[in-house]
């Protein structure tokens, strides 16, 4: 008869401990769930930012290529202009030499 109250007390203590462990596990589970949800949202935000940066990079590359093409066209136009001016200078020098030769032959 004496063991019965001690066993009952021990059983109640074990039940209380089991409830406490269950509550702690539940709280931990909830904390893990909240952390996982927070991290999933963070990943989603970072993936969106990554996509935005990738698009900005592509746009910058496109703008750079356009600018390089524009510069190349300007350089080519300048080179054509220089060639034309050199041809005009050479023609003018030849005309001057011819004119001097004509004057000397008179």
């Amino acid at each position: 008869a004496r063991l019965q109250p001690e066993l009952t007390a021990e059983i109640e203590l074990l039940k209380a401990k089991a409830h406490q462990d269950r509550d702690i596990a539940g709280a931990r589970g909830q904390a893990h769930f909240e952390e996982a949800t927070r991290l999933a949202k963070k990943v989603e935000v970072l993936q969106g930012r990554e996509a935005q940066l990738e698009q900005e990079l592509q746009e910058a590359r496109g703008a750079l290529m356009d600018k390089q093409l524009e510069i190349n066209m300007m350089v080519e136009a300048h080179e054509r202009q220089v060639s034309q001016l050199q041809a005009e200078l050479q023609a003018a020098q030849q005309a001057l030499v011819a004119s001097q030769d004509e004057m000397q032959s008179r």
Side-chain angles (χ1 to χ4, degrees), residues 3-4 8 12 20 24 30 36-37 46 48 52 56 60-61 66 74-75 78 84 91 95 97 103:
L3 284 172
Q4 188 70 25
T8 303
E12 290 303 316
Q20 183 181 16
I24 290 171
Q30 181 65 28
T37 301
L46 290 174
Q52 180 184 354
E56 289 175 16
R61 284 180 177 152
D66 290 346
M74 288 173 58
V75 167
H78 180 71
Q84 182 181 350
V97 168
M103 288 178 68

Side-chain angles (χ1 to χ4, degrees), residues 9-103:
E10 190 173 340
I11 288 170
E12 290 303 316
L13 187 64
L14 289 171
K15 282 183 183 177
K17 176 84 171 103
H19 281 30
Q20 183 181 16
D21 288 350
R22 188 191 65 213
D23 291 345
I24 290 171
R28 284 184 182 151
Q30 181 65 28
H32 288 312
F33 173 78
E34 289 171 1
E35 180 70 6
T37 301
R38 185 185 69 75
L39 290 173
K41 286 179 184 176
K42 187 173 183 176
V43 165
E44 190 176 317
V45 167
L46 290 174
Q47 286 173 333
R49 181 72 180 130
E50 179 185 29
Q52 180 184 354
L53 289 172
E54 185 63 35
Q55 182 173 347
E56 289 175 16
L57 178 60
Q58 293 299 329
E59 290 171 4
R61 284 180 177 152
L64 176 61
M65 289 177 66
D66 290 346
K67 185 56 75 177
Q68 286 173 331
L69 183 60
E70 181 184 333
I71 289 169
N72 289 344
M73 289 171 50
M74 288 173 58
V75 167
E76 288 172 7
H78 180 71
E79 288 172 347
R80 282 193 303 273
Q81 192 176 24
V82 166
S83 293
Q84 182 181 350
L85 289 173
Q86 287 173 335
E88 290 174 15
L89 176 60
Q90 188 175 3
Q93 288 172 335
Q94 288 172 347
L96 178 61
V97 168
S99 172
Q100 289 172 342
D101 288 346
E102 186 182 319
M103 288 178 68

